[in-house]
Amino acid sequence: MEDTIGSNPPSLGFLEKLKSWLSWSWTYVCFVWFGMVLIMVYVVWSPLKLQETLTSASVFLNTLTPKFYVALTGTSSLISGLILIFEWWYFRKYGTSFIEQVSVSHLRPLLGGVESSSSTGLFSSVNGEADSRPSVSDCKVWRNPLNLFRGAEYNRYTWVTGKEPLTYYDMNLSAQDHQTFFTGDTQQLRPEDAVMQKAWRERNPQARIRAAYQAIEMNHECAAAYVLLAEEEATTITEAERLFRKALSFAGKDINLLVYIKRRLAMCARKLGRIKEAVKMMRDLMKEFPLLGMLNIHENLLEALLELQAYADVQAVLAKYDDISLPKSATICYTSALLKARAVSDKFSPEAASRRGLSTAEMNAVEAIHRAVEFNPHVPKYLLEMKSLILPPEHILKRGDSEAVAYAFFHLQHWKRAEGALNLLHCTWEGTFRIIPYPLEKGHLFYPYPGCTETADRELLPSFHEVSVYPKKELPFFILFTAGLCSFTAMLAMLTHQFPELMGVFAKAFFSTLFAPLGFFADKMENFMPSSFWHQLTRI
């Protein structure tokens, strides 16, 4: 064992040296290899009768009819067109070129290239302060604090449209959350708790509901079972509220259950129009459990206060949570921008501002909008209704399209209520991108924009939604190349069909010009080297 372990480092060192040598040789000695190939071709010119072969090939090509060239170019155009269609589909679905991905994955390691790490250097924090060591956890997926009810809202959407608003990845994350949140001490599991553990893992909604009823049969005071029924079986918010109240009566001293149920009851009150009651429940919950800030209950509170138009209370909540030491969110940044925009937007005019300049209040509003757009650049298109909204997912990625959908779904009405706020946003939001011309390399008020958002958003958002990508990717080289090749070969096929004689003359002139340097090189080599030297080489 020791010998085996001791022999690994030298072998690894040899492989690294071999890769580095291959990389060096590929980079600097390609032209030498090309020259050696030319010399070898010349050496075997006579023994292999290449001259006669080329002559017979030229005779064969001269006897071909124009129909052959039409078929050849047409087939080339068809194949390149099929490759173009596949490349375009793959790029729209996965955000990268298939040919480029295969080349990087399989050819780059052989040439000594270093594989890019997806876990370091790409992801950045969303805090307002600097951090010299960004980590993957800064791009983690968060539970949506305003997530809808499956039975009363998500399922109703499915019944009407026939589309699934939630992805399997999103629902699987929710199952893991529920399993962790409601399991408690795994060493003292009751029989109904074991049934509920299995219920959260079930993929089929009806199987989950049956398991919840089974747990209630074992113990009619199983609070977790009533939570599942309220989330998934209740078809109205009123029915869900009734089941949550029943679950609350059986929750006992389980803090996780108490916090979850009280929060969902507050959300039921908000949806049923009892907004003041919802605000009071949220404030009591935050006061009773002050250490559970990671659950982002303050975002529920901000939305309810905006509905009440209690802007002073909104400002007080922002003063506490919009702190440089606390993680940011689209709700925090855009609500702050909304309050500042509301103060000046009713009298704002782009023409007047261009003539007299921006006042101090207008400048503060514009800076707040730029700050919000830098944090999440996807939100303005939804607020300005340049992109259609969908139901928000149960989990979001901060600074990603999923967070933008979730924010705009609940807060678009508040921006519309503030007169002129959307107009001010429309006039100023694109100016953010002039401040941060290279968002993946350097930020302005936040860290550089993370490189993980597109992949995670594609997993969180349904397939019928067109994921917003920032910064916008340019078309890969191979898509442009195949598009050019397809167009060029199609044009050749059409011209050959219409003007066969002229294209035949053109093809002969093209090939004669193409092979002229090779003939010139062969003549020079014959004049430079004695004939006896080449005779000896051919004998060898």
Side-chain angles (χ1 to χ4, degrees), residues 497-510:
H497 178 71
Q498 294 293 330
F499 311 102
E501 296 182 358
L502 182 61
M503 291 301 294
V505 174
F506 173 78
K508 292 177 183 178
F510 173 77

Side-chain angles (χ1 to χ4, degrees), residues 122-133:
L122 287 177
F123 308 136
S124 51
S125 176
V126 295
N127 297 346
E129 57 184 348
D131 184 0
S132 59
R133 298 182 62 187

Side-chain angles (χ1 to χ4, degrees), residues 227-495:
V227 169
L228 190 147
L229 294 177
E231 290 285 353
E232 303 210 20
E233 189 186 37
T235 56
T236 63
I237 301 298
T238 304
E239 186 180 354
E241 185 181 34
R242 179 184 63 80
L243 289 169
F244 275 122
R245 291 191 184 280
K246 198 168 187 178
L248 182 62
S249 63
F250 300 137
K253 297 181 179 180
D254 190 325
I255 295 179
N256 289 341
L257 269 173
L258 284 173
V259 172
Y260 186 89
I261 294 171
K262 288 184 177 181
R263 180 181 192 168
R264 295 303 262 178
L265 281 171
M267 294 176 68
C268 288
R270 163 68 182 90
K271 293 175 185 293
L272 294 172
R274 306 195 308 270
I275 305 173
K276 291 184 178 179
E277 178 186 343
V279 168
K280 183 180 183 303
M281 294 173 68
M282 292 173 192
R283 289 189 186 278
D284 292 342
L285 193 57
M286 294 168 64
K287 189 180 298 182
E288 186 178 358
F289 304 101
L291 299 179
L292 295 180
M294 59 183 173
L295 298 178
N296 297 323
I297 303 175
H298 59 275
E299 296 194 12
N300 299 79
L301 179 60
L302 283 172
E303 197 280 326
L305 290 173
L306 286 172
E307 182 64 22
L308 288 176
Q309 301 185 43
Y311 296 111
D313 293 335
V314 172
Q315 186 61 57
V317 175
L318 287 176
K320 181 178 179 180
Y321 290 96
D322 193 4
D323 186 82
I324 193 172
S325 62
L326 296 177
K328 299 296 180 291
S329 67
T331 300
I332 294 291
C333 295
Y334 278 90
T335 302
S336 177
L338 173 60
L339 292 189
K340 293 180 180 179
R342 176 181 166 273
V344 298
S345 59
D346 57 337
K347 299 178 181 178
F348 177 78
S349 170
E351 295 79 10
S354 62
R355 289 195 304 268
R356 58 172 170 78
L358 295 175
S359 65
T360 303
E362 289 173 340
M363 183 63 71
N364 291 336
V366 171
E367 289 177 353
I369 289 175
H370 286 176
R371 171 179 179 260
V373 174
E374 181 183 352
F375 181 81
N376 193 318
H378 309 284
V379 172
K381 287 189 177 181
Y382 294 108
L383 293 180
L384 298 172
E385 299 182 271
M386 299 166 65
K387 286 195 68 176
S388 58
L389 272 173
I390 61 172
L391 295 186
E394 293 183 336
H395 290 79
I396 59 174
L397 183 70
K398 290 190 175 182
R399 306 187 76 177
D401 191 34
S402 52
E403 185 190 34
V405 169
Y407 172 80
F409 185 85
F410 293 100
H411 289 262
L412 176 58
Q413 56 182 330
H414 307 315
W415 279 82
K416 287 184 175 180
R417 188 179 295 124
E419 184 182 355
L422 289 176
N423 178 46
L424 179 60
L425 176 68
H426 174 72
C427 295
T428 58
W429 74 280
E430 291 182 326
T432 310
F433 307 123
R434 292 191 289 270
I435 302 175
I436 43 173
Y438 304 103
L440 294 177
E441 301 172 11
K442 185 178 181 181
H444 179 58
L445 299 174
F446 299 98
Y447 292 139
Y449 191 77
C452 62
T453 57
E454 181 185 356
T455 303
D457 281 332
R458 290 185 187 277
E459 294 287 340
L460 291 171
L461 296 169
S463 57
F464 59 82
H465 173 71
E466 183 180 354
V467 175
S468 176
V469 179
Y470 175 78
K472 191 170 181 62
K473 291 186 175 180
E474 297 182 356
L475 286 177
F477 165 76
F478 287 105
I479 290 183
L480 300 175
F481 175 76
T482 51
L485 181 63
C486 177
S487 303
F488 178 69
T489 51
M491 182 184 66
L492 283 182
M494 183 184 67
L495 291 175

